[in-house]
Amino acid sequence: MSGRPISRLAWRFGWLPVLWAITASEAMAQATPLFKGGATCTFCHSRRLEDDVRPFHRDLILLNEGTILRDLDKHALAYKVLEGPLGQAIGRRLGWKVTEDQRCLSCHANLRADVAPVENFGQVVQEGVGCEACHGPGSLYELLHQRPDWRTKSPAEKAALGMVDVRNPIERVRQCASCHVGDAQQGKVVTHEMYAAGHPPLPPFEAAAFAEQMPRHWRYLCEKGALQNEAKFLEVNFGPQASAARQQLPVLREVLLGDLMAAISALRLESKLAEQTDGGLDLVLFDCAACHHELRYPSWRQQRGYQGYVPGRPVPADSYLAVVPAVIEVVAKEAGQRDMLLEQWEAMKRKRLEAFTGRPLGDPAGVATASSEIADWLEKHLLPLCQSAGADSLLSEQLLARLVDSLHDAQDYASARLLGWTIWALVGEQAVRYPEAFRNPDPLPAEAEALQERVSADLSLWQEYHQQATASRQAARQATLGRAELDRQLALVLPAGQKVELTERLAELLEVSARFDPQRLRQSVGQLREMLGGSPSAGTSR
Amino acid sequence: MTKRHRVCRCSLCLWAGSTILVAFLWWASAPSVSGTPPVPVSAPHPFPGQQGDQGLTTSQSTSQPAAANSARYTGALSCAATACHGLAAVPNIDSRAGSEYVFWLERDPHARAGDALSSPGGLAMLEQLGIVRDGRVVDARGLANCEACHNPRPAEGQRFDSYTASGEGVSCEACHGAAERWRTVHYRPGISRVQLIELGMTDTKDLATRAKLCAGCHVAGRGEVNHDLIAAGHPALKFELSAWHAIYPKHWDGERERQRWPDLDWQLWCFGQRAALEAVARQTLARAQDLQRPWPELAEWDCYACHHDLSWPSWRQERGYSSRRPGAMFWNLWYRRWVSLSYPPDEQGKAVDGLIDQLAELFAQKTVPDRQQVAQQSKELVDALAQMPHQLPDRAAVAAVLRSRLVSGETSQLPVDKEEWDSCAQLYLMLRAYAGTKSNSDGGSEQPAQALRILHQALAFDPGQNSPGSFDAVQEDVAVRRRQVRAQVEALVRSLLTDAEVSR
């Protein structure tokens, strides 16, 4: 091989046009997408964080996504923990080889039960949760998505080639939830047996707060600069709501749509596991703290009583359902509709509770039916309402007030924690002022041109926004949740990012969950209400 | 030789004389001992909420024939005549003969067992369970289950008017048997134990019978304490006869009993273990068979398998699960872990061991064990236990087992510091019973007492808690505490076993 640069380049890229032609063909589009591994992604998406993002910052992406994932994000270490002491200990207790077992790798690496493994899967697996885990197996779109016309393709066309529409909160959270909640079809299930062997407990997943702490390697639409082919891009991605898309509050949408999606995922998993059961429901479907608590006296559980079920029956893991009533109350605009939805919701919840507690450890058939009914209902009735709700600051305030009410009445740690995160996310977003310039929905061509010019000339605008947004979010949370001591009672700060190991904080996190007491929580929520402005439910103008 | 008879005219003698006269008339009118027809065991029990052959006066003891189930209850007041058992209790009295009723009334918690149901805590529980709502009983079956142990009330027609209709707590006849047939004869000179048993008096002097009697409420049988009740606030029943017996305010002469049986504690431990396991197995059988009861019954499993705070690092995870599936619940250890030391390791004993293991295996295999299999398996265990003779195990054999299981270097089994709390606590109680017997016979030694004190401390629950907490938790001193348990158990076993016992 020659050492001359030109021939090396030719050797490297000469085959590209050929592959483009092949991959674009119908035949390949019909084929099943496979995992390629992140090495091909980082070829482009690996600009250093300190690099000048000038050519890109007003574009869709900054091209530093791979770097953020590799250097900051825990997902990149997902496989390594299997090789570590904890992973090995868990494997010993289970009698599994965790670095090769499908049941582990489906979440800890890009090796899913429903995607055929590739030849070099050993290498792919080493990357942990790489790009394709969320963006979809890349074998079919890897080359195509580099073409300029890719951006004007619809999400459906991209999905046909394996790319997931992560711009849509529903699809995005579906990806997150497949591991963070579980997905039986993809072979992603954490069982009670795995927990007992030492798998750290999965916290209830709240998309907005988790993404913030991850840290996210993307910008929401309203944070992006004016785009090339903007009108066309918005139209194929957001359809009739294209003009409103840039004005919607992204975190609010994440809470509305994402949390519902997490709930749907949890219910589908529950239904599936209940169907497959042999000799009783997997204990993983119950609220951990329902059984796992020291027997203290006086006992707040006994003082609280057991409403709607026989004392001593383990109750289901409910945290994902905790946000639903608040969401119904704010997205259903008419009183009649709201009452009807709430009534249906309560009836379905009662049915599920009855299936879980009618006899000790639940009736699997009843659970399977009840939970899939709720999931269907959420998809059919509530999700569309959330999608069409204008995600503006008024809605954000209304939802926040309802969520605080829900938190006040929370009876278990997991629900309280999930509600805490939604509140944390909304309070954070309310403190941020998204760049108005970016949110202008219909810039006149001339103005848009000028805007682009201004933004590209002055990078500091963007950096300033970014720093300010981070600082205001933190300050707002500190001023409310921090002063009410909620984040200490609920452990809202996750051991996220690569700087802190999960096991370093596990003792503390479990201690917090063991000390949970609804009475104490109510006091703090009272303080929170005062800080957010007044009496219970104030700020809600239905 | 002539002797002048003087008639005493003091009021006491007049009163005593009249009492004797009345007693004589009663005796004269009582049915004759030999004329009592035998009563079949399966006769329905007069107390509501009780299951068939688990009746109050019915003993499964082979030494005792079927009791007179149809006899009526006369009530504690009929025992309470001053000349009989109602003499005012004298503080520090050596012999309580004559004052049993007063002693029971004043000192014995059984007298207040019924009050527990109407106390604020009891009422709160009844409401939690949906037995009482707005001050009215809405679940009579549920209340009958509570009263079966707390306030046994014979049905109308099964009691004399002298029996307090609202109940007497756990009174004389709850243990001694319905008194209709023996009340007027049991003090007759020359009446034999066998005759009294035939008249329906429970043979409480027989330790095996006593063990079964206590187990009927304190473990299971007359009523059922299931997980629903425990969650509503009822303490879980973890009973061990020798220890309970030691602290029980006795209305009989405990010292004389101890002189009669120098190995009283050990006998109580053995009979207590067997009676408890039998009661538990019967209960498991009833739970599996009776479709009206909840299944699976969570109280069948070890309490602390689930009830512990999650912690990191976790003692359980670090210890590992040996052959058990991680996260699988397991059948309650309290009544089975050391029971095999309470009977001879002969063919019958080994068969029982095997049946216990098989039943435990059923409970560990699946999250919800198969009801029919459990019923079948527990039936076999019940039958095997019922057929077991009363023979105590050879002490030398027990000593050898203790040594091989508990002293390091000679065991391949689970070391004590890896055992669950239930197992450690029962082990402590067993060694305590063994040591009590031992110190009695060799005049008492300081070392076992010291070791037992340390063990007791190590096993004690944290304040405000009803579960092992830091005994099983993460803190570094868990290892220390558990090593301490192991060391003390070893020291104890060594000091308890004489050379002769070990070398045999």
Side-chain angles (χ1 to χ4, degrees), chain A residues 278-306:
Chain A
D278 169 37
L281 292 172
D282 192 302
L283 297 176
V284 81
L285 297 178
F286 295 88
D287 177 27
C288 310
C291 304
H292 288 307
H293 55 262
E294 294 293 340
L295 304 172
R296 297 187 176 86
Y297 57 88
S299 149
W300 64 257
R301 288 180 176 82
Q302 283 165 4
Q303 285 170 350
R304 172 204 63 191
Y306 305 87

Side-chain angles (χ1 to χ4, degrees), chain A residues 86 93-94 192-193 195-198 278-281 283 291-297 302 305-306 310-314 359-361 503 506-507 510 514-515, chain B residues 128-129 227-228 230-233 294-296 298 301 304-312 317-318 321 325-327 329 366-368 464-469:
Chain A
L86 177 57
R93 291 170 199 142
L94 288 167
H192 187 256
E193 186 181 10
Y195 281 143
D278 169 37
L281 292 172
L283 297 176
C291 304
H292 288 307
H293 55 262
E294 294 293 340
L295 304 172
R296 297 187 176 86
Y297 57 88
Q302 283 165 4
Y306 305 87
V310 181
R313 302 286 164 87
R359 66 185 201 214
L361 301 183
T503 46
L506 211 43
L510 291 170
R515 299 275 157 256
Chain B
Q128 296 264 33
L129 289 162
H227 193 261
D228 298 349
I230 299 170
W295 188 264
L298 298 174
W301 282 293
Y304 315 123
C306 302
H307 288 305
H308 54 82
D309 281 346
L310 297 175
S311 57
W312 182 270
Q317 286 165 3
E318 310 237 310
Y321 298 91
R325 197 161 44 88
M329 299 180 286
K366 288 181 176 178
T367 314
V368 177
Q465 248 171 239
N466 228 342
S467 48

